[in-house]
Amino acid sequence: MLSLWPHPDREDRAAPQLLMEAARNVGASFLGHQTSQVGREELQADVVRRGPLARYSYPSVPGHPARVVLERPEGVYVFWPSVQEGWRIHRRPAPDRPVACVQLCASNYRWKTALTESGTLELSAYRRSDHHLARKFWVDREHNLITRVESFDTGGQLASSWSLDKLKFSQDIPLSLFDPPSTTRAAVEMEHPQPAASLEQAAARVKFTPVMPNWLPDGYQLVEVWTETVQSLPSVRLVYSDGLETFSLLENQHADQAPLSNGVAHTRQLEIHKWTDGRLDYTLLGSDGNPAPRELARAFIEGGNSAPARGVLPIWQRGWTRLGSLF
């Protein structure tokens, strides 16, 4: 059963600002437990957080490597210290442009707020396009911390969720728990991502002209432009958001030795599309279950870089590859 917007004439316009303030709060330090669920798959983790650093370990899953997360303005870095590997994702919409995010949240979603019996603030976001519930957030008001998130698909079914409980706040969490911090710092500094004020500035840095989509999924706007080096190649990253959902499009000149191939892969929470037009290589990264990146990739692959045809997936999208449970 679909959950529709319950108050056609009333909405809480302050909710997007409240949510953004909580999402940008990386000052809390605590120990706790996290439960994440995607479809029928559930994963339990012990969490230790010290400001922008967090460590997730999985004692109930033998062999599952612990991961360290570092939040920076340009994105979220995820590292697996045991295997000395890491990568960067854009998990939050426009992390360094909260005003744009609040405006997008307000223009694309209607908001309802409520207080639970325990005093937790509950924020519900309904899509303006179809009035259906899209996301629910629970915020611990005392610590201004998001403790639970539920995401719903277009059919109104719960698609994914994560929650924090058994929280113990402390300012005495040692940095040694996030060992090796030197590896983390080295990996972050290797990329040297830099914000660009415009596409023209980005193009001047990387010495090629990035391709802009002629069509975007409803509600999405370009909110950030970054230049960086990925596998020794100068690259441009375009970040799009509708206020709640975010995806990024990475572009770099096609390497001569790289095969001309297209494909899509999944992790526990991410969907990654890769393709090339022979001049540039593209990597489109978004949250698993969000159809917007898939639609944009389809528009590029079909060759017109315009609104994609409905109902037929390109052949390369029919055999998806599962990369394993990284999150």
Side-chain angles (χ1 to χ4, degrees):
M1 180 177 179
L2 294 176
S3 181
L4 296 175
W5 172 244
H7 305 295
D9 299 321
R10 187 172 77 246
E11 62 180 293
D12 190 339
R13 297 185 180 276
Q17 182 65 44
L18 294 173
L19 176 64
M20 199 54 54
E21 289 173 356
R24 287 170 53 83
N25 176 21
V26 294
S29 296
F30 58 81
L31 296 85
H33 179 265
Q34 177 175 291
T35 301
S36 60
Q37 187 167 354
V38 179
R40 296 183 178 180
E41 298 181 15
E42 184 176 278
L43 187 63
Q44 307 284 334
D46 292 332
V47 183
V48 181
R49 177 168 157 179
R50 173 172 165 162
L53 276 168
R55 183 183 182 90
Y56 298 80
S57 55
Y58 308 89
S60 63
V61 186
H64 196 300
R67 62 186 174 97
V68 173
V69 175
L70 172 63
E71 301 200 23
R72 291 275 294 264
E74 67 269 19
V76 179
Y77 292 82
V78 184
F79 303 90
W80 290 267
S82 62
V83 292
Q84 300 288 298
E85 291 182 354
W87 63 333
R88 178 161 63 88
I89 63 175
H90 281 272
R91 188 174 65 190
R92 289 179 176 166
D96 67 341
R97 300 186 186 175
V99 174
C101 265
V102 169
Q103 292 173 345
L104 284 170
C105 279
S107 62
N108 290 315
Y109 299 92
R110 287 189 173 93
W111 292 84
K112 173 189 172 185
T113 58
L115 281 178
T116 67
E117 292 182 358
S118 63
T120 300
L121 183 63
E122 182 181 296
L123 306 174
S124 301
Y126 295 79
R127 288 186 296 270
R128 291 187 182 274
S129 59
D130 59 12
H131 311 297
H132 293 155
L133 179 64
R135 196 83 64 88
K136 293 184 73 171
F137 303 85
W138 284 259
V139 179
D140 180 324
R141 292 194 300 165
E142 180 181 356
H143 299 94
N144 197 27
L145 180 70
I146 298 175
T147 57
R148 181 174 178 82
V149 178
E150 293 181 350
S151 299
F152 299 86
D153 60 25
T154 53
Q157 300 298 313
L158 182 64
S160 63
S161 67
W162 65 262
S163 60
L164 288 170
D165 59 10
K166 303 178 182 178
L167 295 176
K168 181 181 178 182
F169 291 88
S170 172
Q171 298 302 317
D172 299 322
I173 296 176
L175 272 175
S176 59
L177 291 176
F178 308 95
D179 187 64
S182 58
T183 301
T184 301
R185 287 196 297 270
V188 171
E189 296 307 321
M190 267 178 48
E191 285 191 330
H192 297 294
Q194 297 291 329
S198 65
L199 286 169
E200 290 76 16
Q201 185 183 72
R205 288 180 188 169
V206 298
K207 310 303 182 186
F208 68 83
T209 302
V211 173
M212 287 288 293
N214 293 328
W215 171 87
L216 285 174
D218 289 343
Y220 282 84
Q221 295 181 20
L222 178 66
V223 293
E224 294 179 1
V225 180
W226 294 84
T227 58
E228 56 194 274
T229 301
V230 177
Q231 297 180 344
S232 302
L233 295 173
S235 306
V236 173
R237 186 181 297 272
L238 308 176
V239 183
Y240 296 88
S241 178
D242 72 347
L244 290 182
E245 294 281 2
T246 301
F247 62 82
S248 62
L249 177 62
L250 182 72
E251 304 181 12
N252 55 261
Q253 287 183 305
H254 180 69
D256 292 338
Q257 70 275 17
L260 294 172
S261 61
N262 304 320
V264 61
H266 292 252
T267 71
R268 182 177 172 84
Q269 292 180 337
L270 297 175
E271 183 170 305
I272 307 166
H273 298 260
K274 290 179 176 289
W275 71 93
T276 183
D277 60 10
R279 183 180 76 90
L280 297 178
D281 292 336
Y282 305 87
T283 302
L284 187 61
L285 188 149
S287 60
D288 199 4
N290 176 17
R294 195 176 311 151
E295 291 175 352
L296 184 59
R298 183 187 301 168
F300 269 91
I301 293 298
E302 289 179 349
N305 187 14
S306 56
R310 301 293 179 180
V312 179
L313 286 175
I315 293 176
W316 65 269
Q317 270 194 324
R318 296 174 189 167
W320 290 355
T321 301
R322 184 71 54 174
L323 288 184
S325 181
L326 300 182
F327 288 83

